[in-house]
Amino acid sequence: MNEQQHHHWAIEASGIYRNYGTLEVLKGVSINIAKGKMVAIVGKSGSGKSTLLHILGTLDVPDAGEVSICDMPVKGLKSKTLASLRSKHLGFVFQFHHLLPEFTALENIAMPALITGMKKKDAFKRAGELLGYLHLSERSDHKPNQLSGGEQQRVAIGRALMNEPDIILADEPSGNLDTETSAQVHQLLRSITTDMGKSLVIVTHNTDLAALSDEIYEMKDGLLKS
């Protein structure tokens, strides 16, 4: 394999197995996520798609199989190295926004950079730019309880983008939102790939969101088919 091809993948996963007790959730799943592509994983509830997403995001460890993030194999990495890999390369968006209630939109977005030691001034400047990109500048000083569901989720997406990761992993990102708000969030996710060149992996029930992606995989009986 030549060098160029090798750098084509944001995430490579091969032969992923995951059991919970006697329940086999993933039965040898392989998937490669190309750089700068938006990929949707669909399937019934309980089909294992969230489990797969957590494994791709290094939040869960497979019972067998290999995962590489930006050409770095994650197996056997010390937890500190893994945490640093995660904060550098990966951003996460979940169905529930998990924003910190006592902090403003600006502070919530800046948080990942503050945690990794960026100066407050620089972090707030970048968070302010992201608020602009998210069309939320006028909500900068609002706390989560003063924001609508769609605004909260956009702040959560801003937080995921804060450390300029290569890859965004999203689990049912519009699962809690009404149709119109969902459509806005879907367009935003699409633009993160189109405008910013990020790789996106999205687990979703939403057919409109899946339709916007470059590739769709279906999770069924512990296996993935495109």
Side-chain angles (χ1 to χ4, degrees), residues 109-119 122-124 126 159 162-163:
I109 290 178
M111 201 60 72
L114 296 172
I115 289 168
T116 54
M118 189 189 274
K119 286 197 184 84
D122 299 335
F124 280 7
R126 171 153 170 79
R159 177 185 56 189
M162 182 66 203
N163 284 353

Side-chain angles (χ1 to χ4, degrees), residues 92-125:
F92 296 93
V93 181
F94 297 105
Q95 177 172 357
F96 301 102
H97 51 74
H98 300 301
L99 297 174
L100 300 164
E102 65 276 28
F103 292 100
T104 64
L106 184 79
E107 291 165 338
N108 266 290
I109 290 178
M111 201 60 72
L114 296 172
I115 289 168
T116 54
M118 189 189 274
K119 286 197 184 84
K120 196 170 175 178
K121 196 180 100 177
D122 299 335
F124 280 7
K125 182 172 184 271

Side-chain angles (χ1 to χ4, degrees), residues 30-43:
S30 297
I31 184 173
N32 288 346
I33 311 291
K35 288 187 176 163
K37 293 287 185 211
M38 176 175 173
V39 174
I41 300 173
V42 301

